[in-house]
Amino acid sequence: MADVIDYLKKVRRGAMFIIEGPSGAGKGAVCKEVLAQDPHIKFSVSATTRAKREGEVDGVDYYFLSDEEYDKLIAEDAFYEHVDSQYGHRYGTLRREVDSFINVGEDVLFDMDWVGARQMKKKAPDDVVTIYILPPSVEELRRRLVGRGTDSAEVIAKRMAQFDDKVSHWDEFDYVIVNVNLNETVLKVQKIISGERMKRVRQTGLKEFVEALRREAKNG
C-alpha cells in the first residue's frame, strides 16, 4: 500500500496557490508559515526590471532583467502574468520557473494582487487556486499596519485609502478566509492545499492506477 501511495504522489501535478488581501490582512505572515511547514510547496521567484539592491541575489530574490529582455519575454508569451508597478518598474511570473515545479508534482505559492491572479487564472484555469485573506475589521487592519512599525503615517494612510478598491475583488477568489488568528488561518490554508491536491485533475497517475485495478479484477 505504501508503494501505491508513493507512486501516486510522484505522478501528481502540482498546483499554483495565490494568496491575496489588503495590506495588513496578514497574507505575508500566512505565506511564511505555510512555506516553513510544507517542504512540497515552493515560493515563486518573480522577474523584475528594477535594479538589484544591495544584498539581493539574482535567481533567489528576483530574476533581474533589462527592459529589452523583459519585452522579449512578453513577445514570447513567457509570463503567466506581468504588471507595471506604480513606481515605473515591471514584474512578472515566468512560466519556466513555475512549470519546473508543478510538472514534477511540487506546488507553488504566490503572494500576488488580484490583477496578476486574474491573468494567471485565465492562462492556467485548472492549475490555479486563489485564496483571499480578509481582516476581521478595519480597526484591526489599521492596528496591524501601525503595529508593524515599518511604514510611515503617510504610507499607512495610503494603504488604508486603497482598502476599498482592493477588497472589491474578493468575490473573484476561490476561497475567502477572515484572518482573526494567524495559526487558525494557516491551518485553514493548509486544509485548502490538501483538498486541492486530491482533485482528480491533479492526480495524473490515477488513470493508469484505475486501469490496473480493472485488469486485476478481470483476471482475478
Side-chain angles (χ1 to χ4, degrees), residues 157-177:
K158 184 176 181 180
R159 294 190 188 282
M160 293 302 300
Q162 295 171 338
F163 175 80
D164 187 64
D165 179 62
K166 272 270 194 180
V167 173
S168 67
H169 298 277
W170 71 274
D171 57 355
E172 296 181 26
F173 287 71
D174 300 315
Y175 300 91
V176 179
I177 301 172

Side-chain angles (χ1 to χ4, degrees), residues 48-113:
T48 182
T49 59
R50 76 159 172 79
K52 188 191 303 182
R53 294 170 184 160
E54 184 177 353
E56 289 184 326
V57 178
D58 186 45
V60 175
D61 299 286
Y62 287 96
Y63 292 106
F64 295 97
L65 306 174
S66 66
D67 282 309
E68 292 74 19
E69 290 172 323
Y70 193 93
D71 288 336
K72 184 173 183 292
L73 289 170
I74 290 178
E76 295 172 349
D77 194 27
F79 291 112
Y80 269 120
E81 61 83 32
H82 57 90
V83 295
D84 296 342
S85 81
Q86 59 184 317
Y87 304 107
H89 307 302
R90 297 183 288 173
Y91 295 84
T93 300
L94 290 165
R95 287 177 181 268
R96 66 171 184 260
E97 168 76 10
V98 177
D99 290 349
S100 68
F101 293 121
I102 67 172
N103 288 339
V104 295
E106 299 287 291
D107 301 310
V108 186
L109 186 67
F110 304 82
D111 178 348
M112 182 182 292
D113 67 16

